[in-house]
Amino acid sequence: MALLVVIAIEVARLKDLFAVVMLTGIYGLVSASFFVVMDAVDVAFTEASVGAGISTLLMLVVISLTQRSEHPVRNRPFGALLVVMLTGGMLIYGTLDMPYMGAGDAPIHIHIAPRYLNDSMQEVGVVNVVTAVLASYRAFDTFGELVVIFTAGVGVSALLMTVGGRGEKKPMVAINDSMHKQQLILRIVSKMMLPFIMLFALYVQFHGDYGPGGGFQAGVIFAAAIILYTLLFGLTSARRVINQTVSQLVAAFGVLLYGSVGLVSLLNGGNFLDYNVLASNPISGQHLGILFIELGVGITVASVMITIFFNFAGRKELQKSTSEK
Amino acid sequence: MLMGLFNHWIVVVLMMIGLYIVIAHGNLIKKIVGLTIFQTSVFIFYISMAKVDGGTAPILMANVSQYANPLPHVLILTAIVVGIATTALALALTIRIKEAYNSIEEESIQEQNKKQASEPDELDPRSDPY
């Protein structure tokens, strides 16, 4: 915990944005291990792959697109410091009334959590309660969140789409072609690892009912495999494997899959996203529903992450080719 | 007393560091990093609320009766992924700002805006004061 504070202070102090981004990666990893200590394995999984992996990568690409260090034009931190101290003091005063950490009788543990913990086995039949709540009790919320992710992907595409992508067939230079040829060991080793990363993503996807994991984590891990490939073999060859238009379509397909599971249950005489009616037995109906919507989540998250990365990297190549002219 | 509230205090400190970065730094990427720290502090707050002493992760097993509260886990799990999606959107905006103003420092962007306002140009909608 104190480590987190140290890293955060360093982040605030440093001017070199590269170091700042690296530190945020470490920060993500440390907070992921903290989540493990707090028994939140699903969350730790997500934070490790997102906070330490994807977000660091995205920020690095953006820094290479913009600038590496911060220019302090103005420096009057005292006003800001005063505001921060005041707010922090008030918040700490507020915590004095809060229940202690780990207390079993805190209000948060009394109201609805016991119902989830006691009844989800009979009602949903899934060992991992987090998955049960995510995909069954709160499936409607999860649907909304998936749509938010999809919208963000569309937004990034709209902002950064390289113009005239279809007609322009000139071979783009790989991000750093010379480096690709030098890093022979890295390329071979990661090429060997790629199938295992993808296999692991699939395992996380379909094992989410029994252990930590699920669609969100699997999607991010799968996207990480593709991004690793892009980093080592260049954007041009990665685009040959996964077309950008296709990945956008696939993202939409994931949302559609989620929504149509809801519609099918509606047509079968239940409520929207009420899986009990999907099969003759409510439990197997629940299993079927969770399987499909987690698949939808995984597909959308993976392809949105890939789309976002491709857009950033494509922008970089565009910048490079215009500066060379 | 000290140990019971220690986590909440760490959360407050982290939150305030994030807020400070957002207020005091002009660099847009640094601001996004500050927002990320602020966001993570909220995650830590929720997750430490869900913890129950002597409980384990909420994956049902025989011989275990105490579990952490699954609901905050679900909320934060999706919040992390939504967070990276919105962060990516912010970063994309930063790139466009860099291309438009050739700078990602707040001051220099505002200066350029002021200059444009003082030299009215009917083609530029930003020069219109109303």
Side-chain angles (χ1 to χ4, degrees):
Chain A
M1 289 302 276
L3 202 60
L4 283 177
V5 176
V6 173
I7 295 173
I9 291 175
E10 249 341 81
V11 168
R13 216 174 50 83
L14 282 175
K15 294 266 176 274
D16 186 356
L17 286 176
F18 180 73
V20 166
V21 169
M22 282 305 159
L23 277 174
T24 37
I26 299 172
Y27 180 84
L29 204 59
V30 173
S31 51
S33 25
F34 169 73
F35 292 151
V36 175
V37 176
M38 289 283 117
D39 300 331
V41 275
D42 286 87
V43 183
F45 217 142
T46 323
E47 175 69 26
S49 44
V50 167
I54 303 268
S55 75
T56 315
L57 262 174
L58 286 184
M59 293 222 176
L60 280 181
V61 176
V62 173
I63 284 178
S64 70
L65 272 168
T66 52
Q67 62 193 35
R68 170 146 179 188
S69 69
E70 184 185 7
H71 304 300
V73 184
R74 134 204 88 160
N75 222 345
R76 39 163 228 277
F78 295 105
L81 211 59
L82 190 74
V83 171
V84 164
M85 289 288 180
L86 264 177
T87 325
M90 281 194 278
L91 282 176
I92 286 193
Y93 176 70
T95 62
L96 293 181
D97 272 348
M98 295 214 22
Y100 290 169
M101 190 190 77
D105 56 350
I108 177 175
H109 299 304
I110 299 172
H111 177 51
I112 198 166
R115 178 175 139 70
Y116 287 151
L117 288 172
N118 298 329
D119 299 349
S120 72
M121 199 59 208
Q122 285 99 51
E123 288 178 0
V124 184
V126 164
V127 188
N128 187 347
V129 185
V130 174
T131 303
V133 176
L134 177 93
S136 185
Y137 291 116
R138 301 187 65 90
F140 205 74
D141 291 11
T142 312
F143 188 47
E145 269 139 15
L146 196 66
V147 173
V148 171
I149 294 167
F150 178 69
T151 313
V154 172
V156 170
S157 303
L159 282 170
L160 298 182
M161 187 63 100
T162 38
V163 200
R166 187 160 298 176
E168 182 184 31
K169 273 280 180 246
K170 66 163 198 244
M172 285 214 203
V173 224
I175 299 181
N176 30 14
D177 234 340
S178 58
M179 196 206 81
H180 293 311
K181 298 210 167 57
Q182 285 165 10
Q183 307 285 358
L184 199 61
I185 298 177
L186 261 184
R187 289 177 69 169
I188 291 174
V189 170
S190 57
K191 208 171 190 175
M192 277 157 60
M193 275 166 57
L194 275 176
F196 293 106
I197 298 178
M198 290 184 172
L199 192 66
F200 181 61
L202 289 179
Y203 168 79
V204 170
Q205 170 82 50
F206 293 110
H207 203 256
D209 306 0
Y210 309 102
F216 284 99
Q217 294 94 329
V220 175
I221 293 171
F222 194 84
I226 304 287
I227 290 174
L228 178 67
Y229 181 82
T230 316
L231 285 180
L232 286 162
F233 296 89
L235 190 62
T236 327
S237 49
R239 277 214 175 116
R240 229 174 281 141
V241 180
I242 294 182
N243 192 313
Q244 200 164 329
T245 327
V246 171
S247 90
Q248 278 162 354
L249 280 179
V250 167
F253 173 74
V255 180
L256 196 66
L257 184 64
Y258 199 132
S260 36
V261 171
L263 279 183
V264 166
S265 56
L266 203 63
L267 292 177
N268 277 357
N271 288 326
F272 189 68
L273 291 171
D274 177 11
Y275 315 131
N276 282 344
V277 292
L278 286 182
S280 48
N281 177 2
I283 295 286
S284 54
Q286 289 280 350
H287 272 291
L288 204 65
I290 289 177
L291 186 75
F292 273 115
I293 68 146
E294 288 273 20
L295 198 64
V297 169
I299 288 173
T300 300
V301 170
S303 45
V304 164
M305 292 297 154
I306 292 170
T307 311
I308 287 175
F309 183 78
F310 274 10
N311 272 312
F312 277 125
R315 199 75 187 179
K316 180 160 174 57
E317 294 198 346
L318 187 78
Q319 208 176 51
K320 204 175 167 188
S321 61
T322 46
S323 68
E324 271 166 7
K325 267 173 208 164
Chain B
M1 159 83 186
L2 187 73
M3 277 322 287
L5 293 175
F6 179 68
N7 267 33
H8 301 323
W9 293 345
I10 292 273
V11 167
V12 171
V13 171
L14 282 178
M15 204 181 257
M16 288 307 116
I17 293 173
L19 187 61
Y20 173 78
I21 295 177
V22 175
I23 299 175
H25 289 262
N27 186 298
L28 292 177
I29 291 183
K30 197 78 177 267
K31 272 182 200 285
I32 296 174
V33 171
L35 268 182
T36 317
I37 290 179
F38 192 96
Q39 198 181 23
T40 315
S41 79
V42 178
F43 298 163
I44 292 174
F45 179 59
Y46 268 65
I47 296 299
S48 53
M49 280 206 302
K51 162 97 176 156
V52 177
D53 275 338
T56 63
I59 295 171
L60 298 174
M61 281 177 287
N63 318 324
V64 181
S65 59
Q66 285 266 320
Y67 298 102
N69 194 334
L71 189 57
H73 294 187
V74 175
L75 300 179
I76 297 310
L77 176 85
T78 45
I80 290 175
V81 185
V82 170
I84 180 68
T86 47
T87 307
L89 201 59
L91 289 171
L93 280 172
T94 313
I95 292 177
R96 291 311 294 256
I97 289 173
K98 165 82 176 177
E99 284 171 2
Y101 292 92
N102 199 24
S103 161
I104 53 168
E105 302 287 341
E106 210 185 346
E107 280 78 20
S108 116
I109 293 169
Q110 278 170 350
E111 251 165 51
Q112 292 182 37
N113 268 346
K114 244 180 242 156
K115 221 175 269 169
Q116 285 217 319
S118 60
E119 299 159 13
D121 179 357
E122 61 269 13
L123 286 175
D124 189 0
R126 276 174 303 190
S127 62
D128 187 5
Y130 297 108

